[in-house]
Structures are given as C-alpha cells and as structure tokens.
Amino acid sequence: MPKLDREKERTEFLKRHGLLDESDANQPINGDIKKISKSEYQNDMQILKKHYQFVRPSSEQADENDDPDEAYGKTLAKEYESKLFRDYAVADLSKYKEGKLGLRWRNEKEVLDGKGDSVCGNVACSATNDLESSLLNFSYREHNIPKQCLVKVCLCPPCYRKLNKIHKKRKKEEKKLLKEEQKKKLKKELKLLTKIYEREKKAQEE
C-alpha cells in the first residue's frame, strides 16, 4: 500500500475511534508535521507485535494519557485479538528438542478447517487419528513480563510425545537451576558463618 494511502487510512482509523480531533486531522500532509525516518516508521504488523497480548487482562482500561500512536496500537491489537478463537490453541513444536514451545490462538480459517480440534494442533502436522486433548499450564514471557495461563491443545500421539519431551526438559532445567540456587545459598551461609567464627576467635584472643 502506498505510504500516502496508508496515512489516510490511519487518520480515518484514529478519527473513527475518537483518537484524533478535527484540528489534528486538518493538518496538511506536507505541512509542518514531523518527518518520520525509515528507522522510526512502523507498519501495522510491527505495531501489532508490539501491542499484542496472548491473554489480555479483562480489567485493562483505556488510558487517557496515551498518545495517538499508543492508542492506535492498543486498539489495533484488541481488534485482532477479538477475531481469534480461544477454545483451542495451535502449537509450534519445531524446537521441542530445545525445550521450547510456541502457542497461538486459532483464526477463523483454522476453526473451519478443524485445525486444532479434529486435525492435530501442531502447525506442521495434519494427522486426524487418535487425537488427544490436554490442558496445559503455559508459562511464557511477553514484553519481558513472565506470565502463565491454562491453554487447551489437541495433538496426535507423535506430537504429544514431543510436547512431553518439552515438559521433561523444562523440569530438568528447573531442577538444575534450583540446585544452583541452593549452592549459592549454602556458600553465602558458609561465608557468613566463617565471618562470625573469625570475629569470635579474634574477640577471645583479645
């Protein structure tokens, strides 16, 4: 889409949602508005990635202090999110050996095609036999914030085994991390006890 047409579409969007008043809308395109460099310019996909949330809090309210760009991004993300179906998720198991799992909600076409309920929910699989539904406690990081939610997936046996391998690998990593934290804690306690002992010994010598 030509840049001029996109700017016009964006202006109409902002006006439609009350995010742009008439005085702003009537500013000439080639007037004294700030020029945006290529590094600053973002298309709708980039804006959507910035504002999209896998599970948006129901208590979230519009912030009157948001600038038009921020408000536009949130509104765009919410409109996209409202078109997704959250009964089942589609899984990306391509990095299961690394213990990584990607999940997203289904779109309308996938629902009509049965992807994720009557067809295996792995994006790279089209199996339809012996499917098994499972409720996952999905832990993920979004915008540098750790989050958790329950997600339902439907997978064929081979893909389900991949999912189990991810779970086992994560458990193993958690145990390893816990051991490292325990070691650090013990070292810290030992260091403290050593200081106390040396202090008491010095006091006795005096």
Side-chain angles (χ1 to χ4, degrees):
M1 181 184 290
K3 186 174 179 180
L4 191 61
D5 290 345
R6 188 184 177 284
E7 288 298 327
K8 184 178 179 181
E9 182 182 327
R10 181 177 178 279
T11 301
E12 290 299 321
F13 180 92
L14 292 172
K15 286 171 65 178
R16 189 165 64 250
H17 291 277
L19 304 173
L20 192 72
D21 59 33
E22 290 299 321
S23 60
D24 292 329
N26 291 329
Q27 289 291 330
I29 292 177
N30 295 320
D32 296 329
I33 60 174
K34 178 185 175 183
K35 290 185 178 180
I36 301 175
S37 66
K38 285 185 178 180
S39 61
E40 293 176 313
Y41 180 79
Q42 290 184 320
N43 58 35
D44 281 349
M45 181 58 71
Q46 291 170 317
I47 294 170
L48 185 59
K49 284 181 179 180
K50 181 181 177 182
H51 294 279
Y52 171 80
Q53 292 188 48
F54 188 67
V55 177
R56 188 175 294 275
S58 57
S59 58
E60 183 177 283
Q61 300 292 331
D63 191 343
E64 295 179 356
N65 296 321
D66 283 345
D67 60 48
D69 286 339
E70 186 73 12
Y72 171 74
K74 287 181 179 179
T75 305
L76 184 68
K78 287 177 181 178
E79 283 191 2
Y80 172 75
E81 291 162 15
S82 68
K83 296 176 182 177
L84 300 175
F85 295 80
R86 300 169 186 269
D87 50 349
Y88 283 94
V90 177
D92 182 355
L93 301 171
S94 59
K95 295 185 178 181
Y96 77 95
K97 291 181 180 179
E98 301 173 31
K100 294 180 180 180
L101 169 67
L103 292 178
R104 63 171 174 80
W105 301 117
R106 300 188 298 167
N107 57 40
E108 185 178 6
K109 184 180 183 305
E110 288 169 331
V111 172
L112 293 174
D113 292 341
K115 185 66 175 175
D117 56 8
S118 57
V119 179
C120 179
N122 179 5
V123 291
C125 181
S126 56
T128 56
N129 296 327
D130 303 321
L131 301 181
E132 184 177 349
S133 294
S134 179
L135 193 63
L136 306 179
N137 185 11
F138 183 46
S139 299
Y140 61 103
R141 182 172 287 273
E142 188 175 65
H143 308 308
N144 291 322
I145 301 172
K147 296 182 178 181
Q148 271 189 337
C149 68
L150 292 175
V151 182
K152 197 174 183 181
V153 295
C154 186
L155 301 170
C156 67
C159 291
Y160 201 81
R161 285 194 289 271
K162 290 180 181 179
L163 183 65
N164 281 335
K165 285 182 180 179
I166 292 173
H167 179 69
K168 288 178 181 178
K169 188 171 180 64
R170 286 188 175 181
K171 282 290 183 184
K172 189 176 179 180
E173 289 174 352
E174 285 174 5
K175 285 183 180 179
K176 185 179 178 181
L177 187 63
L178 183 61
K179 283 183 179 180
E180 288 175 355
E181 288 177 352
Q182 287 174 340
K183 282 182 180 179
K184 286 180 181 178
K185 188 178 179 181
L186 286 171
K187 282 183 179 179
K188 192 175 180 180
E189 289 176 352
L190 183 61
K191 191 176 181 180
L192 181 62
L193 288 171
T194 303
K195 282 184 178 180
I196 294 171
Y197 171 76
E198 289 176 350
R199 194 182 302 155
E200 290 178 350
K201 187 179 179 181
K202 188 177 180 181
Q204 288 175 358
E205 289 174 351
E206 290 176 352

